[in-house]
Short mmCIF file of all heavy atoms in Angstrom, two decimals:
data_model
loop_
_atom_site.label_atom_id
_atom_site.label_comp_id
_atom_site.label_asym_id
_atom_site.label_seq_id
_atom_site.Cartn_x
_atom_site.Cartn_y
_atom_site.Cartn_z
N ALA A 412 -6.64 23.66 9.86
CA ALA A 412 -5.32 23.12 10.64
C ALA A 412 -4.76 24.34 11.38
O ALA A 412 -4.61 25.45 10.87
CB ALA A 412 -4.30 22.62 9.55
N ARG A 413 -4.35 24.07 12.54
CA ARG A 413 -3.75 25.08 13.51
C ARG A 413 -4.67 26.41 13.52
O ARG A 413 -4.17 27.47 13.58
CB ARG A 413 -2.32 25.48 12.86
CG ARG A 413 -1.38 24.29 12.85
CD ARG A 413 0.01 24.75 12.51
NE ARG A 413 0.05 25.14 11.12
CZ ARG A 413 0.28 26.45 10.84
NH1 ARG A 413 0.63 27.30 11.67
NH2 ARG A 413 0.39 26.74 9.50
N GLY A 414 -5.99 26.10 13.48
CA GLY A 414 -6.82 27.26 13.67
C GLY A 414 -7.16 27.98 12.53
O GLY A 414 -7.90 28.96 12.69
N MET A 415 -6.62 27.64 11.38
CA MET A 415 -6.77 28.48 10.14
C MET A 415 -7.41 27.58 9.07
O MET A 415 -7.21 26.29 8.91
CB MET A 415 -5.34 28.93 9.61
CG MET A 415 -4.67 29.71 10.60
SD MET A 415 -5.52 31.20 11.27
CE MET A 415 -5.68 32.10 9.59
N VAL A 416 -8.41 28.12 8.36
CA VAL A 416 -9.13 27.34 7.19
C VAL A 416 -8.23 27.25 6.03
O VAL A 416 -7.82 28.33 5.64
CB VAL A 416 -10.48 28.20 7.01
CG1 VAL A 416 -11.06 27.36 5.81
CG2 VAL A 416 -11.37 28.01 8.16
N LEU A 417 -8.10 26.06 5.48
CA LEU A 417 -7.37 25.83 4.36
C LEU A 417 -8.27 25.78 3.02
O LEU A 417 -7.83 26.02 1.93
CB LEU A 417 -6.49 24.66 4.43
CG LEU A 417 -5.49 24.48 5.70
CD1 LEU A 417 -4.77 23.25 5.59
CD2 LEU A 417 -4.61 25.61 5.66
N GLY A 418 -9.52 25.27 3.33
CA GLY A 418 -10.49 25.17 2.26
C GLY A 418 -11.64 24.27 2.79
O GLY A 418 -12.00 24.41 3.96
N GLY A 419 -12.35 23.64 1.87
CA GLY A 419 -13.61 22.90 2.24
C GLY A 419 -13.64 21.64 1.44
O GLY A 419 -13.14 21.52 0.41
N SER A 420 -14.50 20.60 2.04
CA SER A 420 -14.56 19.34 1.39
C SER A 420 -16.11 19.08 1.52
O SER A 420 -16.79 19.14 2.49
CB SER A 420 -13.91 18.31 2.13
OG SER A 420 -14.10 17.01 1.50
N GLU A 421 -16.69 18.76 0.24
CA GLU A 421 -18.11 18.49 0.13
C GLU A 421 -18.38 17.10 0.01
O GLU A 421 -17.59 16.33 -0.62
CB GLU A 421 -18.61 19.24 -1.14
CG GLU A 421 -18.53 20.82 -1.06
CD GLU A 421 -19.00 21.43 -2.25
OE1 GLU A 421 -18.32 21.30 -3.32
OE2 GLU A 421 -20.03 22.16 -2.16
N PHE A 422 -19.58 16.61 0.60
CA PHE A 422 -19.87 15.30 0.50
C PHE A 422 -21.41 15.25 0.06
O PHE A 422 -22.25 15.92 0.67
CB PHE A 422 -19.81 14.50 1.89
CG PHE A 422 -18.38 14.64 2.33
CD1 PHE A 422 -18.09 15.59 3.27
CD2 PHE A 422 -17.38 13.72 2.01
CE1 PHE A 422 -16.81 15.78 3.82
CE2 PHE A 422 -16.07 13.82 2.57
CZ PHE A 422 -15.84 14.81 3.54
N ILE A 423 -21.78 14.50 -0.99
CA ILE A 423 -23.10 14.30 -1.58
C ILE A 423 -23.53 13.03 -1.76
O ILE A 423 -22.82 12.11 -2.15
CB ILE A 423 -22.99 15.21 -2.93
CG1 ILE A 423 -22.52 16.58 -2.67
CG2 ILE A 423 -24.32 15.09 -3.69
CD1 ILE A 423 -22.33 17.42 -4.05
N ARG A 424 -24.85 12.84 -1.39
CA ARG A 424 -25.42 11.47 -1.68
C ARG A 424 -26.61 11.65 -2.73
O ARG A 424 -27.29 12.57 -2.63
CB ARG A 424 -26.02 10.88 -0.45
CG ARG A 424 -24.92 10.34 0.59
CD ARG A 424 -25.43 9.72 1.79
NE ARG A 424 -24.37 9.20 2.57
CZ ARG A 424 -24.47 8.70 3.89
NH1 ARG A 424 -25.76 8.69 4.48
NH2 ARG A 424 -23.49 8.19 4.47
N MET A 425 -26.67 10.69 -3.54
CA MET A 425 -27.72 10.56 -4.70
C MET A 425 -28.41 9.24 -4.73
O MET A 425 -29.53 9.10 -4.27
CB MET A 425 -27.15 11.03 -5.98
CG MET A 425 -26.62 12.52 -6.03
SD MET A 425 -25.53 12.91 -7.45
CE MET A 425 -24.05 12.11 -6.82
N ARG A 426 -27.59 8.24 -5.09
CA ARG A 426 -28.20 6.95 -5.18
C ARG A 426 -28.21 6.31 -3.81
O ARG A 426 -29.14 5.50 -3.44
CB ARG A 426 -27.27 5.92 -5.95
CG ARG A 426 -27.53 6.29 -7.58
CD ARG A 426 -26.73 5.22 -8.25
NE ARG A 426 -26.91 5.47 -9.75
CZ ARG A 426 -26.28 4.73 -10.63
NH1 ARG A 426 -25.51 3.72 -10.39
NH2 ARG A 426 -26.48 4.97 -11.96
N ASN A 427 -27.38 6.59 -2.88
CA ASN A 427 -27.39 6.28 -1.51
C ASN A 427 -28.56 6.79 -0.93
O ASN A 427 -28.75 8.08 -0.73
CB ASN A 427 -26.23 6.62 -0.80
CG ASN A 427 -26.11 6.00 0.73
OD1 ASN A 427 -27.11 5.76 1.28
ND2 ASN A 427 -24.98 6.00 1.15
N PRO A 428 -29.64 6.12 -0.56
CA PRO A 428 -30.96 6.67 0.00
C PRO A 428 -30.88 7.35 1.37
O PRO A 428 -31.80 8.13 1.65
CB PRO A 428 -31.93 5.52 -0.15
CG PRO A 428 -31.00 4.25 0.16
CD PRO A 428 -29.65 4.57 -0.51
N GLU A 429 -29.88 6.79 2.17
CA GLU A 429 -29.91 7.46 3.47
C GLU A 429 -29.40 8.88 3.58
O GLU A 429 -28.42 9.18 2.88
CB GLU A 429 -28.99 6.54 4.38
CG GLU A 429 -29.44 5.03 4.48
CD GLU A 429 -30.72 4.86 5.30
OE1 GLU A 429 -30.94 5.79 6.10
OE2 GLU A 429 -31.53 4.08 4.94
N PRO A 430 -30.03 9.74 4.29
CA PRO A 430 -29.59 11.06 4.45
C PRO A 430 -28.39 11.02 5.37
O PRO A 430 -28.24 10.25 6.17
CB PRO A 430 -30.73 11.81 4.82
CG PRO A 430 -31.60 10.79 5.66
CD PRO A 430 -31.41 9.45 4.87
N PHE A 431 -27.55 12.14 5.24
CA PHE A 431 -26.52 12.30 6.15
C PHE A 431 -27.11 12.64 7.57
O PHE A 431 -28.06 13.25 7.84
CB PHE A 431 -25.67 13.41 5.79
CG PHE A 431 -24.69 13.20 4.70
CD1 PHE A 431 -24.80 13.92 3.40
CD2 PHE A 431 -23.76 12.10 4.66
CE1 PHE A 431 -24.00 13.66 2.30
CE2 PHE A 431 -22.92 11.84 3.66
CZ PHE A 431 -23.10 12.65 2.48
N THR A 432 -26.39 12.03 8.56
CA THR A 432 -26.81 12.20 9.98
C THR A 432 -25.79 12.84 10.76
O THR A 432 -24.71 13.18 10.28
CB THR A 432 -27.11 10.92 10.62
OG1 THR A 432 -25.90 10.08 10.74
CG2 THR A 432 -28.22 10.08 9.73
N ASP A 433 -26.16 13.21 12.06
CA ASP A 433 -25.10 13.79 12.88
C ASP A 433 -23.91 12.89 13.10
O ASP A 433 -22.73 13.36 13.17
CB ASP A 433 -25.77 14.14 14.28
CG ASP A 433 -26.71 15.25 14.28
OD1 ASP A 433 -26.64 16.00 13.19
OD2 ASP A 433 -27.64 15.29 15.15
N ALA A 434 -24.08 11.45 13.05
CA ALA A 434 -22.93 10.54 13.24
C ALA A 434 -22.05 10.69 11.94
O ALA A 434 -20.86 10.59 12.02
CB ALA A 434 -23.50 9.13 13.30
N ASP A 435 -22.71 10.86 10.77
CA ASP A 435 -21.98 10.99 9.66
C ASP A 435 -21.18 12.31 9.61
O ASP A 435 -20.04 12.39 9.13
CB ASP A 435 -22.84 11.07 8.36
CG ASP A 435 -23.56 9.78 8.13
OD1 ASP A 435 -22.81 8.84 8.37
OD2 ASP A 435 -24.71 9.74 7.60
N VAL A 436 -21.73 13.38 10.21
CA VAL A 436 -20.89 14.67 10.47
C VAL A 436 -19.69 14.35 11.28
O VAL A 436 -18.58 14.88 10.85
CB VAL A 436 -21.85 15.75 11.01
CG1 VAL A 436 -21.08 16.89 11.27
CG2 VAL A 436 -23.03 16.07 9.89
N ALA A 437 -19.91 13.64 12.33
CA ALA A 437 -18.67 13.37 13.12
C ALA A 437 -17.67 12.66 12.36
O ALA A 437 -16.51 12.98 12.59
CB ALA A 437 -19.21 12.65 14.48
#
Side-chain angles (χ1 to χ4, degrees):
R413 298 184 296 114
M415 303 303 295
V416 174
L417 309 179
S420 183
E421 295 176 294
F422 306 93
I423 297 171
R424 284 181 178 173
M425 291 166 286
R426 283 187 181 175
N427 187 335
E429 297 294 327
F431 287 117
T432 64
D433 291 338
D435 293 326
V436 172

